[in-house]
Amino acid sequence: RTANPNLNQIEMKVENASLSSLVSKIRKDGLEWQNSLPELKEGSSDTYQLIKEDSLEKRGENNTKFKPRLFRLVQVKDDYFLKYYEEQKKGERWRGDILLSAKGVSVELGERHEQKQEFILKTANRDYHLRAMRPKIAREWVKAINERLEAFTPKSFLKQKQVLGSISQMVEFVREKSRDDEKDFPDIGISSSSLASLDEEDYVDTSSTDYGFEMNRYYPIIHSLSIITGEKPSSGPKNSGLYTGFDLENTPDKLYMDGSKIRAATLEKCVMKATADGINETQVEMILTNFPISTTQMELLKALIKRYCVPTPLNLTSEELEDVKKTMAQIRIAVLLFINIWLRTHSSDFTTDTASLKKHTSAFLNAVMNAALSPSEVEIADQNLTYLHNINASVVKRLHSIEELESAGSGVPEKRFEKVKPTEFAEQVTLLHFAIYQSITSREFLKTGWSKEDKHKRSPYIVKMTEHFIALSHFVQKTICEESDVRRRAASMTKWLEIGEACFEMQNYHAAGAIHAGLSSNAVHRMKKTKEQVGKKLKIFEKLEKITSRKGNSKDYRELLEKAFSSCVPFLPTFCGFLEKTETAHESQLFGTINWNKHQCRSDTIIRVLRFQTQEMQYRKIDVDPPVQSLLAKVIQVMDKDEEKEFIDRMWNQSLLNEPRDPAPQ
């Protein structure tokens, strides 16, 4: 109401309107997109789902008297609200909403003993002190609210990747991903295995217990390996010593340690490490991202098959053999899960110039199903085969594709920049940047591909983000410097500061950084008279400077990103700088083996920069605006080096024309 005195009129007219239309109206009238929404009216086309309800006492920061209120935790589409009511004789009277799916919201229990029944809900604007009847109820409310807040926090940032240590965890992981694939990619045709209801404990091993190799089970798998390696398999299922090459002992030339940490290792040792105790998603992703630097796809598949065919040691007692068999089963399932992650996260490996990889992976998985060592292995192999055979039909799910946004603006008259409101421009450029950001793959960050001559092939979407950054910063300079009147220049600079602040609040740090780069360019930064006209709005410039500042190894920006909430577009140049240092400071190979430590450092950085790719919940609320997208298509123009130099010179001369240099002192 402070921002828009006409909001009361909007509330009076909303009784039969949908919530989405109301949100759109509020946005257009200049309110922040994260503000709480008014109470839903009966008859509205939008309804909410009740999650939790209780009578609590509430007080504010200034008025310390607790008042009884009825609280309801509800979900409205992709948002969560804490709604509170005053209970009266005639019924309930709505008193307010607290939007949980907003930046800066947290909840905590009272610290002192006498406050065990109390908890504090903190928002960006104020704190709400709430008190339950019993401490147990307060703890339940804190838990319920925290569970909703976690839905808006990037999972990979919350607990990094998963470590699946048991067979049941690994099988359930595959089943969950399969259900997601059925939901997201209906054309892929993944079906649950007929063995999905069987547990690993239900399986009875019928193979001969001779305290030696189970060649009758492994022979089809070894045969698939022999096709890849070119070795001839033995004439039959005999203990022929074929496993000699699979027995990966801890020899000094294969593994190098630095205390308790791995310093360097062969590919086989890397695979062994990732599948030693179940499956470690972080290590699997590290191997899948980095292996093209030091080896080939076929060598990785070969190492996985060798790991799957881990031999049973000889001369064991019956008790020892039972323990070893459980460990072997866990290793085999971990290998199949490794291939499952490979298929889902780097499917292009199986579709681009590697028909043999797909062929041999299929042969191996079929051999696993024919061997039928356990129901869980058959189930995961079945899922992998289904995904492998439908891999061309799978489409990466994104909020909006780049082509979709570009086509939305084609053929539509562009909206003049002067007529576009700051929030409108910020929302549309955020949609466009997020579409490019979601398209970036982890391997684009390898070997500083964005700085090579073939950068468009190595790192196409990182290059595209860089081009957008430069084009947007140029547009900032152009709209300011080409205004001859100082008041119009000040108005244009003020507008860009407001757009930058809106991008900052929406956590599009890439666009906010580009706007800061344009405002701090030599041509714009020198115009003191224009800045004087802007006045207090210049404080926004200091906020934007946190993104691009290199002080303390980009400390301010790293702190911003640590606190990032839900949807976000990171500022890529900072991460690219970190990766360049990693690339030049360490060799990719040590002692003829893979530099595990370097791969780990690189992967940690890549995980941090890409962890927001699936967090699109807040950006779903933004509708595509074709006229503004048409304007952006005109703004984003790539210049060659000569054109860029000519542009910078022209802006500098225009700046001097607008505000000539002060005469030199006599």
Side-chain angles (χ1 to χ4, degrees):
R1 292 188 179 94
T2 304
N4 185 354
N6 295 324
L7 184 57
N8 288 324
Q9 297 176 18
I10 300 173
E11 286 187 342
M12 292 170 62
K13 296 176 183 178
V14 78
E15 188 162 357
N16 295 317
S18 69
L19 184 61
S20 56
S21 65
L22 172 63
V23 175
S24 178
K25 177 65 176 172
I26 291 175
R27 286 195 198 126
K28 289 179 180 177
D29 285 337
L31 290 183
E32 289 185 7
W33 66 306
Q34 292 151 319
N35 279 2
S36 298
L37 303 177
E39 166 68 349
L40 292 172
K41 306 293 183 179
E42 290 188 16
S44 169
S45 62
D46 292 297
T47 58
Y48 60 76
Q49 177 186 353
L50 180 63
I51 299 170
K52 189 173 178 60
E53 181 180 55
D54 257 320
S55 290
L56 304 172
E57 292 182 324
K58 167 189 168 294
R59 74 170 177 86
E61 294 172 289
N62 299 323
N63 187 355
T64 57
K65 183 180 179 181
F66 279 98
K67 297 179 181 179
R69 294 286 184 264
L70 176 64
F71 277 81
R72 291 187 179 121
L73 177 60
V74 301
Q75 180 178 357
V76 183
K77 292 187 176 181
D78 293 327
D79 285 313
Y80 292 99
F81 292 88
L82 197 59
K83 308 169 80 65
Y84 54 96
Y85 304 80
E86 181 181 356
E87 297 182 277
Q88 300 177 339
K89 292 182 179 180
K90 296 181 180 180
E92 301 167 353
R93 182 187 176 192
W94 170 72
R95 301 295 294 180
D97 286 350
I98 306 172
L99 179 63
L100 300 181
S101 48
K103 189 176 180 180
V105 179
S106 63
V107 62
E108 59 186 36
L109 281 166
E111 295 179 357
R112 296 195 301 272
H113 179 74
E114 62 271 16
Q115 294 179 328
K116 292 295 183 182
Q117 297 169 231
E118 298 181 18
F119 59 98
I120 304 172
L121 182 63
K122 297 182 178 181
T123 67
N125 301 319
R126 60 174 292 189
D127 295 347
Y128 296 84
H129 295 258
L130 306 174
R131 185 165 65 187
M133 295 292 291
R134 295 188 299 276
K136 181 181 177 182
I137 297 176
R139 290 195 300 271
E140 289 174 351
W141 270 98
V142 170
K143 181 181 177 182
I145 293 172
N146 272 325
E147 286 175 353
R148 272 71 209 175
L149 294 179
E150 285 182 6
F152 292 85
T153 305
K155 291 182 180 178
S156 58
F157 174 58
L158 198 66
K159 50 189 177 184
Q160 293 301 316
K161 300 284 185 178
Q162 296 185 59
V163 178
L164 308 168
S166 67
I167 290 174
S168 58
Q169 285 178 326
M170 289 189 282
V171 174
E172 184 54 37
F173 177 85
V174 174
R175 289 174 182 172
E176 183 182 344
K177 294 298 181 182
S178 173
R179 288 191 290 269
D180 291 342
D181 289 336
E182 286 178 338
K183 179 176 62 177
D184 295 337
F185 312 126
D187 296 333
I188 214 169
I190 289 182
S191 59
S192 298
S193 170
S194 58
L195 294 169
S197 60
L198 288 177
D199 292 326
E200 194 66 27
E201 289 73 14
D202 298 330
Y203 174 66
V204 179
D205 188 3
T206 58
S207 62
S208 59
T209 307
D210 58 357
Y211 304 165
F213 300 124
E214 299 167 1
M215 292 294 293
N216 57 327
R217 292 289 181 124
Y218 278 147
Y219 186 74
I221 302 167
I222 295 168
H223 183 73
S224 69
L225 176 64
S226 68
I227 297 172
I228 300 173
T229 60
E231 302 170 3
K232 291 183 179 180
S234 60
S235 58
K238 300 176 183 178
N239 189 353
S240 60
L242 202 69
Y243 285 97
T244 305
F246 303 158
D247 194 10
L248 305 176
E249 296 289 342
N250 281 328
T251 52
D253 61 330
K254 291 181 179 288
L255 182 67
Y256 296 89
M257 303 293 291
D258 183 6
S260 60
K261 296 181 179 180
I262 296 177
R263 187 180 176 193
T266 59
L267 179 62
E268 287 82 0
K269 281 293 182 182
C270 292
V271 170
M272 179 182 283
K273 174 69 175 175
T275 57
D277 300 306
I279 198 81
N280 187 320
E281 266 199 283
T282 303
Q283 292 177 357
V284 170
E285 182 58 36
M286 184 198 75
I287 295 170
L288 290 174
T289 297
N290 293 283
F291 82 82
I293 294 175
S294 53
T295 187
T296 64
Q297 296 155 339
M298 293 300 295
E299 286 298 317
L300 177 58
L301 178 61
K302 178 180 172 181
L304 287 168
I305 297 177
K306 285 183 177 181
R307 180 62 171 158
Y308 183 90
C309 294
V310 60
T312 309
L314 293 168
N315 303 320
L316 298 178
T317 64
S318 57
E319 291 81 7
E320 290 173 336
L321 185 63
E322 287 303 315
D323 292 338
V324 167
K325 281 190 174 182
K326 289 180 181 178
T327 302
M328 290 169 62
Q330 185 169 318
I331 290 172
R332 292 196 302 267
I333 290 174
V335 169
L336 293 173
L337 184 51
F338 192 116
I339 294 174
N340 183 274
I341 296 172
W342 190 1
L343 285 164
R344 286 187 293 97
T345 59
H346 297 277
S347 58
S348 60
D349 288 352
F350 299 85
T351 58
T352 55
D353 302 326
T354 51
S356 58
L357 177 66
K358 186 174 181 179
K359 172 186 172 183
H360 291 308
T361 304
S362 179
F364 167 63
L365 294 173
N366 277 308
V368 170
M369 293 190 67
N370 293 334
L373 296 180
S374 74
S376 296
E377 290 174 61
V378 174
E379 179 181 351
I380 299 176
D382 179 38
Q383 297 289 0
N384 291 351
L385 273 171
T386 308
Y387 203 103
L388 182 66
H389 293 156
N390 292 277
I391 208 161
N392 291 324
S394 64
V395 179
V396 179
K397 185 183 177 185
R398 298 191 179 102
L399 179 61
H400 297 288
S401 68
I402 303 171
E403 295 75 20
E404 176 189 347
L405 294 173
E406 289 176 348
S407 62
S410 63
V412 179
E414 66 183 70
K415 195 170 185 178
R416 291 179 59 195
F417 177 71
E418 296 78 11
K419 300 292 184 181
V420 181
K421 294 182 179 179
T423 50
E424 287 179 333
F425 191 94
E427 286 180 349
Q428 297 308 308
V429 79
T430 296
L431 285 183
L432 187 57
H433 284 178
F434 190 67
I436 304 171
Y437 170 64
Q438 281 192 306
S439 303
I440 298 173
T441 63
S442 57
R443 289 182 189 163
E444 290 192 33
F445 293 98
L446 297 181
K447 305 289 282 185
T448 61
W450 59 88
S451 62
K452 309 297 183 185
E453 290 186 4
D454 57 345
K455 59 185 179 182
H456 291 283
K457 182 180 179 181
R458 288 179 176 226
S459 311
Y461 294 106
I462 294 179
V463 171
K464 199 172 187 69
M465 286 289 275
T466 304
E467 290 171 348
H468 276 239
F469 181 92
I470 295 171
L472 186 57
S473 66
H474 284 172
F475 188 58
V476 173
Q477 298 176 55
K478 184 175 183 293
T479 52
I480 296 173
C481 293
E482 290 187 350
E483 290 289 353
S484 56
D485 182 70
V486 66
R487 291 184 179 180
R488 289 187 177 181
R489 284 199 305 277
S492 183
M493 185 178 290
T494 301
K495 186 172 185 175
W496 278 116
L497 287 167
E498 291 172 349
I499 292 172
E501 185 176 38
C503 289
F504 189 94
E505 294 301 324
M506 294 178 192
Q507 298 184 154
N508 181 0
Y509 296 131
H510 196 76
I515 292 168
H516 177 268
L519 292 173
S520 57
S521 64
N522 293 334
V524 176
H525 190 66
R526 63 170 296 278
M527 292 192 285
K528 298 179 181 179
K529 294 179 181 178
T530 305
K531 289 182 179 180
E532 289 172 0
Q533 294 280 336
V534 173
K536 294 182 179 179
K537 286 284 185 179
L538 281 175
K539 289 184 178 180
I540 299 173
F541 186 84
E542 298 174 6
K543 182 191 289 189
L544 302 181
E545 196 171 15
K546 292 180 180 179
I547 300 171
T548 59
S549 174
R550 299 289 184 180
K551 292 180 181 178
N553 199 19
S554 303
K555 179 184 175 182
D556 291 338
Y557 173 62
R558 285 188 285 111
E559 289 179 354
L560 272 177
L561 216 58
E562 289 295 317
K563 299 175 183 177
F565 174 85
S566 189
S567 308
C568 177
V569 182
F571 180 62
L572 289 189
T574 298
F575 290 103
C576 291
F578 291 162
L579 289 168
E580 285 174 354
K581 291 177 183 177
T582 302
E583 203 63 47
T584 55
H586 305 280
E587 294 291 336
S588 294
Q589 289 197 333
L590 285 177
F591 317 114
T593 60
I594 297 170
N595 188 340
W596 177 282
N597 189 43
K598 178 177 181 177
H599 286 356
Q600 191 70 61
C601 291
R602 185 193 290 118
S603 292
D604 289 345
T605 302
I606 293 172
I607 286 173
R608 288 204 306 274
V609 71
L610 296 183
R611 70 176 184 260
F612 299 99
Q613 284 187 321
T614 58
Q615 302 296 317
E616 55 189 40
M617 195 168 288
Q618 293 286 41
Y619 294 160
R620 287 182 201 158
K621 305 171 187 178
I622 304 174
D623 299 322
V624 178
D625 190 335
V628 181
Q629 288 295 335
S630 179
L631 170 65
L632 288 173
K634 184 180 179 181
V635 168
I636 309 300
Q637 297 294 331
V638 181
M639 300 181 184
D640 59 31
K641 290 184 178 180
D642 292 336
E643 290 174 333
E644 187 171 2
K645 185 178 182 304
E646 187 274 330
F647 174 84
I648 293 171
D649 291 342
R650 180 158 49 89
M651 291 300 104
W652 176 255
N653 293 331
Q654 188 67 47
S655 175
L656 290 175
L657 188 64
N658 292 333
E659 295 187 22
R661 287 192 177 103
D662 294 332
Q666 297 295 326

